[in-house]
Amino acid sequence: MGSRTAVLKVRARPLDRRLGVVRVGSSTLPCALGRSGIRRVGKREGDGATPAGDLALVAVLYRRDRVPRPVTALSVRSIGRNDGWCDDPADRRYNRPVPLPHPARCERLWRDDRLYDIVVVLDWNLSRRRPGRGSAIFLHLARPGFAPTEGCVAVTLPAMRRLLAAAGRGAVLRVV
């Protein structure tokens, strides 16, 4: 993976829209997609779709009690026990990190299932936020067997390490 890349390409597999591949350089790595596949228009909160488009890799979060600090040119910070992500469209902190407890509906980032041992925040509805358009769209670790996500892209831990090592500043996940 020598040089850093700006584009990580994601596409669905032809026979199962919930499974996909991520292409970086000459490598093709398997991934899980949202339970509703890739949505090109009309992405909504809770629809289970992975949004199509160029999603900037904003920052990397990781569980330092479980994995070493990822090697990457991206901004990295560790997740704490009280870190959450607001997914309530009615809350002013919608699609933003929040400390827990938080009065609105939130996702806990400190998880027991290891999916967020390394998680990459993607710029879906983040820099130009619109309530209800979808939140907490991440690149994170996959469940066994690449079970579908709620709209994220998920890869194995070795694949995540390869992707992060290859991603340069300003990198995007191009979901097609």
Side-chain angles (χ1 to χ4, degrees):
M1 299 261 163
S3 64
R4 306 252 173 164
T5 186
V7 179
L8 311 172
K9 297 177 185 171
V10 176
R11 65 177 170 75
R13 289 189 180 169
L15 300 178
D16 189 341
R17 66 185 185 165
R18 300 166 306 162
L19 294 173
V21 294
V22 180
R23 185 155 177 88
V24 57
S26 61
S27 296
T28 301
L29 306 165
C31 68
L33 300 171
R35 68 179 187 278
S36 301
I38 295 172
R39 176 143 309 145
R40 284 161 181 63
V41 294
K43 170 75 182 137
R44 298 177 333 274
E45 188 70 40
D47 65 5
T50 300
D54 283 358
L55 313 179
L57 280 66
V58 176
V60 179
L61 309 174
Y62 77 106
R63 288 274 306 259
R64 71 175 173 221
D65 63 315
R66 290 189 174 162
V67 296
R69 181 184 177 94
V71 175
T72 184
L74 303 170
S75 169
V76 178
R77 109 171 154 74
S78 63
I79 295 171
R81 290 184 185 276
N82 296 321
D83 284 339
W85 198 274
C86 182
D87 58 8
D88 185 342
D91 191 78
R92 68 179 181 80
R93 299 286 309 267
Y94 175 64
N95 205 24
R96 294 286 187 268
V98 293
L100 298 176
H102 185 75
R105 189 180 69 225
C106 295
E107 186 167 346
R108 179 173 292 282
L109 297 180
W110 185 276
R111 296 172 62 128
D112 293 331
D113 63 11
R114 304 192 78 94
L115 297 184
Y116 289 178
D117 283 4
I118 300 178
V119 58
V120 181
V121 177
L122 300 174
D123 188 4
W124 172 259
N125 200 30
L126 191 66
S127 60
R128 303 174 91 196
R129 192 171 38 148
R130 290 191 355 224
R133 192 155 180 243
S135 64
I137 301 297
F138 301 134
L139 170 62
H140 62 73
L141 300 181
R143 288 186 171 87
F146 293 96
T149 70
E150 295 299 313
C152 299
V153 176
V155 297
T156 64
L157 180 58
M160 179 68 83
R161 292 196 184 288
R162 290 184 76 181
L163 295 173
L164 290 176
R169 291 198 185 275
V172 297
L173 194 68
R174 178 168 292 155
V175 181
V176 296

